[in-house]
Amino acid sequence: MNAENLQFLLTTLMELVTLAAAYAGLRLFKQRWQLRMAIIGIPLLLNVILYLVYHTTPFFYMGVILLLCIPFVWPRKSA
């Protein structure tokens, strides 16, 4: 497997993981906020690492999507 195929597979896999993590992290209303933050944070960290390795924009944009999800997961003082 050459580097281009590996990058394509990683990009496709991370797209699916990012979409699933954003949905799961935002939809788990009854769960602890730490679990929801971990569901969003781990793929975010993977996207940052892969962006630093490959320097391609899809990983950057997927990281931005997950960063936009964090304010909706962060606990409020009233909760």
Side-chain angles (χ1 to χ4, degrees):
M1 183 178 304
N2 60 11
E4 294 168 352
N5 286 342
L6 181 62
Q7 183 179 352
F8 173 75
L9 288 175
L10 284 173
T11 303
T12 304
L13 177 71
M14 286 309 297
E15 285 174 353
L16 295 173
V17 168
T18 299
L19 289 174
Y23 180 78
L26 293 174
R27 288 292 180 179
L28 291 176
F29 293 120
K30 303 287 182 186
Q31 299 294 326
R32 297 187 322 259
W33 69 270
Q34 292 95 348
L35 174 65
R36 295 169 60 197
M37 191 66 73
I39 289 172
I40 292 176
I42 292 170
L44 175 62
L45 183 64
L46 287 173
N47 279 323
V48 168
I49 291 169
L50 289 172
Y51 174 71
L52 292 174
V53 170
Y54 289 110
H55 299 289
T56 58
T57 57
F59 297 117
F60 175 76
Y61 290 130
M62 288 185 281
V64 169
I65 289 169
L66 290 173
L67 273 175
L68 290 174
C69 293
I70 288 178
F72 296 103
V73 175
W74 198 262
R76 295 175 296 181
K77 288 185 179 183
S78 64

